[in-house]
Structure formats: C-alpha cells, structure tokens
Amino acid sequence: MVKLTEQEIVRRENLQKILDLGINPYPAYLYNVNSTAKEIKDNYKEGSEDYDDISLAGRLMMKRVMGKASFAELQDSTGKIQIYVNRDIICPEENKDLYNKVFKKLLDIGDFIGVKGHVFTTKVGETSIHVSELTLLSKSLKPLPIVKTDAEGNIHDAFTDPELRYRQRYVDLVVNPEVREIFKKRTKLYSSMRQFFDDAGYLEVETPILQAIPGGAAAKPFITHHNSLDIPMYLRIANELYLKRLIVGGFDGVYEFSKNFRNEGMDRTHNPEFTAMEIYVAYKDYNWMMEFTEKLLEHCAMAVNGTTQATFGEHEIDFKAPYKRVTMRQAIIDFTGFDIEGKNEAEIRTAAKGMGIEVDEKMGKGKLIDEIFGEKCEGNYIDPTFIIDYPKEMSPLCKVHRKNNELTERFELMVCGKEIANAYSELNDPIDQKERFEEQLRLSEKGDEEAGQFIDYDFLRALEYGMPPTSGLGIGMDRLIMFLTNNESIQEVLFFPQMKPEN
RNA sequence: GACUCGGUAGCUCAGCCGGUAGAGCAACGGCCUUUUAAGCCGUGGGUCCUGGGUUCAAAUCCCAGCCGGGUCACCA
C-alpha cells in the first residue's frame, strides 16, 4: 500500500464529510448541459438574456473565496470560465451547508461539478456565470498541478516534467490546454485526409495487424505466438502487401491508417508503434501520385491550421502545391558536384570516400548512392520537395523506371530534411517481384539487416492473378502532425508514447 | 548502445565550496459579498530516485544502478 500524502488524506476526509452530509460524491444520474465555456465567452454580450438559463459541467480549477461570496473557475472540454458563487443565492434557506461546508471547505480543485445559473459580466469585465445551483458530479482524490496564467498571459509553474507529462497524460491534458490542441489537430489531420480520399472515391479498409509473415518493409518485428494454431505471429511492420491484394481484388483505390510496430530503437522521431497512412490507386503512376500528394497535403494543412504555412523549429515551411521535383541524381550533383550517371560501383564508392562518407565493401551501388544522398543532400530540403528516381536495389516493391533500368519509379517527400512520404509506381510483374524477394532473402542471409527476411508467397500468387498498374503512397502520420504542430518530438503528438514501466 | 544533463514538498524550483532542507503556488486554521497569478494573519507537510563508499558528519563528495530529457549511432 502506497503511503498517502497529506493532501490525499485531506481529500479522503473531505469525501467522508460529503458522505456524512448525505451527498453522493459519485452520482449516477446524467447531468444536462446546455452550453460550453467557449460558446458563452465567444457569444455572450453584456445585458443579453440569451444566457439566462444555462447549465454547465466541468472541473473546478481554481477557487477564490471571499467570505460569503466567491469566484471560481470551471473548466470544460472547451476551456475555462469564471463562476460566481454567492452564499445566499445557492443557499436561500436557513441551512448554509452547501456554501459554508461543501463549496468552501469540501470541494477541491479538480472536482467535477455542475452549475446552473445566468451569465453576467463582472465589474472588471469578465464574463462569468452567476451560479444558482451547484452539484457535485465527481470527487477528485489527487491534487492536480496548479498552473496559473497572469494578466500578461505568462504561465507560472507550468506542468513541464516530460516524464510526468507522458506517464500521466491525463494530467497533462487537464492542465495544459495547448496539449489538448495538438491532439485536436491530430484528429483534424486524420479527418481531413479521410475526407480527401473519400471525395476521390477511394475505400477505407482494414487489414490484418496480426500477421504470419511480416512483409512490406524491412524492420525487426514484434513476435508473438498464436496458441491454438501453435505458430509464431508478428505485429505488422507495414500493411502494403495486403492493400495491394485488395487492388488485385478489383478495388480502384484503397487506403488505411495503419498502426505499425517495429522492434527497434526509440528516439525523438521513433516510437515502437506508429501510424502510417497508405493508399493504393489502380491505373495510376508515381507522377500522378506526386500531384495527388501535394494537393492532399495542401488540403490537410489548410484544414488543420487554416493556412498552408507552418513553422517547424527555426524553419518556415509552406505546404502549398506544387512542390519541387528533384531527381536523386540531380540532388547529388547539386550538393556534391558529383554525377552518378553511368558510374560503376567502384567509382561511386571512391567518390563517397572522397566526400568523407564512411563506406564499406558490403555496400552495393544503390546503398552507396543512398548514403551520399543521406549525408550530403537530404538535410537541405526545407520546403516540401519530391526526391524522385531511387536506385533499384533499395526498392524491392517498386517498378523499374520506364527510361532507366537501374532506377525505380519512386519518390520520397522531404520536409525540413526529413522524409514524410514514400511512393512508387508499384511493381506488378510477379516474376520480377519474386526475383526481387529472393534477392532480398540472399542479402538478408549474408547479414544485411535491412533486407527482407521473408517471402510472402501468397502475395506473389495474388500478383500472378494480375494487379493493374498501380501507384501507392505511404505517409508517416506522426511526422506529418509534428510538422503541422511544430513539435520536434514524436512523444508530443502521441497520447501515450512508449515508456519504460514504472518500478 | 555511447556521451551529456537532470531526479529535493502535490507542482515549479532554490540549496550542492559537506554541518543534517527552503521559496512560490497548492494544503490546513482564521478574516473577507465582484475577485482574477485575489488579498491579509497563522500552521503543517520531505525514504532530498535507490544501494553502497569516504567522513565525526552526505541532498551536497565518490562508485554502481534505476528513471527521464538532449545529442550521436541505428532506423525502407
């Protein structure tokens, strides 16, 4: 049994005193509410009678008791509003217990209460609720952090300890309104994206999270075991191969917001479970997908922030379409002066060494090019920029470029030097796909940890039935919302980021 | 995984040239019928992350560990 703190003991005593007064601290009845703090503050005009009979519910967040009258703050899901509680108004009879005992002594900050009354403006000009009826809706037994904001808007004693904020997100959400805004924007991003896809006529689908073969990416999976089948199973690392099966099945466009799981390191931009949105559209190619992507992101940025512009750390970025398109070859020329066109593996390795990049003999041509791009180019793209035409060996699920068989029809979208989207003209040649999987398996067996370790033969069978030409796009939803809310840590945009267990 | 910074009251923090703990808010008692970081008077509250060590004496110095932040490494 954990020892209670002084304040927790006091609150439990208050709870008992409330019970002794015959008041249920956790009533079952619904409490009818007919307005919100925000609605009243936005719309109430002094003298108006429109808000003469309002009913609100929320948490008591501050009490300023002045003898027989008090001010307090009530916080509902929309914000805070001041309430005015007068002894003789809420206790018109002889018995003043509701004011003197319950309100003044036994109600604590954090308690849920319901109030009925009328709206008025105080001497100092603050829109407030003149309370005529006060009901305890739920008692709080632990003290919340007290965060105060002064007249200049400065926040005092902000609840900032990241460990406490992430472990007790519920507390963070109660006391830090800007945190609630981040998550509202996150939801707005999802709904605006969903709307964009639905308007285009594409189908939102659900595919297996628990998979026998973790395909569609190369990453270490979380492994579990199915008891009655007695087989190992994996939490998905991607949903790509399932969405393509649905394109084989005849849908024109399918998309899914996919919780993926990767058993790898954690840092400011990686959480073991994260969300990717993937969409596949039949009869399209990656050029079409680039236009679709920039229109999508422009639409989402507007929906989330009301503007296509966004601030991220020291950078100002603009999601307004169209975005620049730069081939990987040109990007490398731009930032190193080196042209990879027509060069063999040894020449590229030498050039990379000359740029001060660590290389080893195991790196193939594609990997070397990717290293050069990652080291010298990637970080320079601040405004959204499509990097196109990636080397073939890095992209086992992507169609070979129509004009150059060493490249693939692939693009990544870079923002502030980070990748937020990845798209292909999808490989739909089953024979080529089988060979690429087998090549990945060989690389994996040779010790390349980035290569796929499984061949999904059912997926190959699906391709053998025929998949139309298709373009697919994946967007890192967590990264995108980080950009749209100016948060450099993924933990700030996940309600419950992964933490080591307490104790 | 490496390096680095941090862990003191419910919260935000000070104390860290070793002498056994402080502030503001919160809490408790009192006053106050339009306050708003309300105010005034008074009071209580701490395994100083854990475990070792040095010392007459450790929140403070040393070692190990735990938890968190940051940087780097890793990352389709």
Side-chain angles (χ1 to χ4, degrees), chain A residues 70-238:
Chain A
S70 303
F71 287 95
E73 279 171 22
L74 186 68
Q75 173 173 295
D76 67 12
S77 68
T78 67
K80 287 180 188 165
I81 189 162
Q82 179 169 266
I83 63 174
Y84 174 73
V85 183
N86 182 299
R87 185 192 69 182
D88 297 326
I89 303 286
I90 66 165
C91 303
E93 312 290 327
E94 266 318 283
N95 185 336
K96 305 295 184 190
D97 281 355
L98 179 62
Y99 184 80
N100 286 337
K101 291 185 181 168
V102 177
F103 178 76
K104 271 173 73 175
K105 296 293 176 190
L106 304 179
L107 285 192
D108 293 301
I109 287 170
D111 289 354
F112 282 92
I113 58 171
V115 297
K116 295 191 199 314
H118 68 268
V119 180
F120 75 113
T121 303
T122 65
K123 275 183 188 170
V124 208
E126 173 119 3
T127 301
S128 307
I129 296 165
H130 195 285
V131 176
S132 54
E133 215 181 297
L134 178 76
T135 311
L136 174 60
L137 299 179
S138 180
K139 188 89 191 93
S140 161
L141 296 180
K142 284 178 86 70
L144 288 167
I146 305 293
V147 180
K148 294 192 175 188
T149 307
D150 67 23
E152 282 80 49
N154 302 310
I155 296 170
H156 299 263
D157 300 329
F159 179 60
T160 52
D161 182 334
E163 182 166 5
L164 285 175
R165 288 183 51 234
Y166 301 150
R167 287 196 195 280
Q168 302 185 40
R169 182 69 90 181
Y170 34 89
V171 174
D172 190 31
L173 289 163
V174 170
V175 303
N176 289 329
E178 67 283 3
V179 174
R180 293 197 291 273
E181 289 309 308
I182 292 168
F183 290 100
K184 286 189 204 166
K185 285 186 172 187
R186 185 174 173 121
T187 297
K188 189 71 193 166
L189 173 64
Y190 278 65
S191 60
S192 61
M193 198 172 275
R194 189 171 270 130
Q195 180 196 28
F196 192 89
F197 295 150
D198 291 349
D199 288 351
Y202 305 138
L203 194 69
E204 182 169 12
V205 298
E206 291 182 282
T207 65
I209 294 170
L210 199 56
Q211 302 180 346
I213 296 174
K220 292 199 187 77
F222 284 91
I223 306 173
T224 183
H225 185 262
H226 191 290
N227 287 343
S228 54
L229 295 178
D230 193 24
I231 54 167
M233 298 211 69
Y234 305 86
L235 296 179
R236 71 177 165 203
I237 56 175

Side-chain angles (χ1 to χ4, degrees), chain A residues 271-376:
Chain A
N271 193 68
E273 69 176 275
F274 64 99
T275 306
M277 189 297 302
E278 294 210 14
I279 181 166
Y280 291 80
V281 184
Y283 313 116
K284 307 300 186 192
D285 65 4
Y286 79 143
N287 292 311
W288 178 90
M289 189 59 87
M290 270 186 267
E291 287 183 34
F292 186 74
T293 300
E294 62 197 9
K295 284 181 200 146
L296 169 70
L297 294 186
E298 178 179 326
H299 165 83
C300 291
M302 278 302 290
V304 169
N305 287 328
T307 169
T308 59
Q309 290 170 345
T311 301
F312 187 70
E314 58 186 7
H315 299 301
E316 297 294 326
I317 49 186
D318 195 339
F319 283 98
K320 184 156 186 57
Y323 305 156
K324 270 186 296 182
R325 291 149 166 73
V326 182
T327 64
M328 179 157 279
R329 175 190 168 201
Q330 189 61 46
I332 291 172
I333 292 172
D334 289 346
F335 291 102
T336 71
F338 180 71
D339 188 351
I340 56 174
E341 178 79 9
K343 301 291 195 299
N344 64 32
E345 184 179 313
E347 290 169 314
I348 294 173
R349 180 174 289 114
T350 304
K353 276 184 197 162
M355 297 171 201
I357 295 167
E358 272 187 50
V359 296
D360 64 57
E361 298 306 310
K362 277 193 300 186
M363 290 179 176
K365 191 172 168 180
K367 177 70 179 163
L368 288 164
I369 293 169
D370 191 60
E371 286 290 317
I372 295 171
F373 179 78
E375 284 294 318
K376 297 294 175 186

Side-chain angles (χ1 to χ4, degrees), chain A residues 237-254:
Chain A
I237 56 175
N239 61 347
E240 173 157 356
L241 302 187
Y242 283 95
L243 292 180
K244 286 183 185 172
R245 283 172 169 95
L246 297 179
I247 296 294
V248 169
F251 294 108
D252 271 336
V254 290

